[in-house]
Amino acid sequence: MEIAKRADAELGAGTAAEPGPRSPGCSLRHFACEQNLLSRPDGSASFLQGDTSVLAGVYGPAEVKVSKEIFNKATLEVILRPKIGLPGVAEKSRERLIRNTCEAVVLGALHPRTSITVVLQVVSDAGSLLACCLNAACMALVDAGVPMRALFCGVSCALDSDGNLVLGPTTKQEKEARAILTFALDSVEQKLLMSNTKGLYSDAELQQCLAAAQDLSPGFGQLG
Amino acid sequence: MAAGFKTVEPLEYYRRFLKENCRPDGRELGEFRTTTVNIGSISTADGSALVKLGNTTVICGIKAEFAAPPLDAPDRGYVVFLSVPNVDLPPLCSSRFRTGPPGEEAQVTSQFIADVLENSQIIKKEDLCISPGKLAWVLYCDLICLDYDGNILDACTFALLAALKNVQLPEVTINEETALAEVNLKKKSYLNVRTNPVATSFAVFDDTLLIVDPTGEEEHLSTGTLTIVMDEEGKLCSLHKPGGSGLTGAKLQDCMSRAVSRHKEVNKLLDEVIQSMKHK
């Protein structure tokens, strides 16, 4: 905590918190973000959404193995470590989602034949984990000074059996939900960068969730 | 001369075709490759299907075995993936895959198929139960890609659906005296497949153009991909967009309508195949 406060004073690193009373419907849980907490990585950030917390560290642009090198842009790598146990297939799938989202916004062409590594550690999981990981990754990339064409934010919504929308669901809400949709939206035009869904839902419900997420994303953009 | 241009500037070569609203293999932007499906080819499996989407070939085999039902749900069976990956991308199908532990592509595809199975509730787990608390069926599903030419997700989903429709489970009775299961291989019944999830994949080019059913080369050149899995009521089981260029709501709507028409095509094909099997 002390290191974070010192970093605050010296480098003016951002610590922002947005209190939000949890009213049913369209407001999120309390979310907060802290940057520059770790000394070794080039950039780091911790993103808290309610009780879900993810710590991200970014190394790069750095040296890349010749086998992984791309001649005209940077090689992005994402490593996601769960809180308990060894990383499995689900983590691999999430890593690919986060990596492809980052690749869409990071200006890799400015750093060819280098590697940018994002390491995410799940500190606590109380729902909306993928969205929290995306936000942490974005904040860490900003803290590392990696050139990006836009910021992105992760928003997760749950549809319960009555068709009500809940944004940023907790673990309990996720279990009871009929469908859980996670989106990554870019900050410039709120376009859909990444989408990962669980459960059955109709096209109209999808549009509803997407619209709700797009209304929220400018708020996230201000954090960065 | 065209071959030389293609090697040196593959993206430019491709753009020339896209300008004329077609692709190097002669397809239109919204056209799928020829789809062929063959079911029941593996006699040692309880259900099997082989799907060819152009050159992409995936074979799915399903074996049913006994197991004790999970303790927290004694009236249900399992649908299991044999020690994930249930999707195997061997070096046979493409030079980009090496021998050894499953690579990222195989793991991601396995997770996708697992999610589709769970989200679409294609089989009611209660149907797999033989005797509550004591015996249930376990379905081991294995998908192997024999030829990788893009759009592996669509092919795998279709192969799994066709194989599940082909699965015949024998009748099992529990003998009261010996408490052993007696299997009557002569009396077999089909699995109750409740929905038909069909996947439609798109590739995004230059952040604006959407093409359906990308080949291996097109996937490599694309700036993003999108897969929509829909069932027959128009409900979405999965909207899988692993990053890549941004899409607006309007573009998504176009994709939805294409997914609906693809669902009809696939359904028709599947019905024909199943009918032909039943007539034998």
Side-chain angles (χ1 to χ4, degrees), chain A residues 5-216:
Chain A
K5 283 195 199 139
R6 237 185 291 139
D8 247 13
E10 286 172 12
L11 301 152
T15 302
E18 194 165 300
R22 192 111 173 92
S23 62
C26 292
S27 78
L28 280 186
R29 296 180 271 175
H30 163 110
F31 65 92
C33 168
E34 246 182 271
Q35 285 179 314
N36 212 346
L37 342 121
L38 304 171
S39 58
R40 287 247 164 259
D42 297 323
S44 56
S46 161
F47 201 89
L48 279 93
Q49 220 168 309
D51 287 325
T52 308
S53 164
V54 174
L55 187 59
V58 169
Y59 293 90
E63 181 115 1
V64 68
K65 258 193 241 180
V66 184
S67 55
K68 291 195 197 160
E69 144 184 299
I70 305 176
F71 76 97
N72 59 343
K73 52 186 185 156
T75 312
L76 219 81
E77 229 179 89
V78 174
I79 302 170
L80 174 62
R81 298 230 156 240
K83 182 177 168 198
I84 318 168
L86 289 168
V89 183
E91 274 72 43
K92 256 289 179 301
S93 175
R94 293 211 179 114
E95 283 173 10
R96 148 95 48 116
L97 293 172
I98 299 171
R99 192 185 77 232
N100 285 13
T101 315
C102 295
E103 274 176 3
V105 290
V106 163
L107 295 169
L110 291 177
H111 297 283
R113 298 186 314 279
T114 61
S115 83
I116 301 175
T117 312
V118 181
V119 184
L120 296 151
Q121 172 68 57
V122 177
V123 174
S124 64
D125 181 6
S128 310
L129 185 62
L130 183 58
C132 201
C133 290
L134 282 161
N135 291 325
C138 181
M139 293 289 124
L141 283 166
V142 167
D143 190 45
V146 172
M148 304 205 280
R149 71 165 62 85
L151 297 180
F152 60 89
C153 71
V155 183
S156 148
C157 23
L159 282 166
D160 68 11
S161 37
D162 302 324
N164 295 331
L165 198 75
V166 177
L167 289 166
T170 58
T171 318
K172 183 159 168 285
Q173 286 166 331
E174 281 186 352
K175 262 207 190 105
E176 294 165 1
R178 168 172 49 102
I180 305 168
L181 296 88
T182 308
F183 302 117
L185 301 165
D186 88 286
S187 60
V188 179
E189 287 168 21
Q190 278 80 49
K191 275 195 189 164
L192 180 66
L193 285 176
M194 189 280 303
S195 139
N196 186 40
T197 68
K198 202 173 152 171
L200 269 174
Y201 51 94
S202 71
D203 190 16
E205 285 167 343
L206 169 70
Q207 296 299 334
Q208 196 191 356
C209 293
L210 203 49
Q214 281 171 336
D215 286 334
L216 262 183

Side-chain angles (χ1 to χ4, degrees), chain B residues 11 17 25 27 37 73 75 81 97 99 109 114 126 132 141 143 150 184-185 198 200 203 214 230 249 251 260 267 275:
Chain B
L11 199 51
F17 283 95
D25 52 5
R27 284 188 289 159
V37 57
D75 58 345
F81 312 105
F97 304 120
T99 48
T109 316
E126 283 83 359
C141 311
L143 292 107
N184 186 353
L185 284 169
V198 170
T200 313
M230 214 181 242
K251 287 243 155 61
V260 168
N267 247 0
Q275 285 301 327

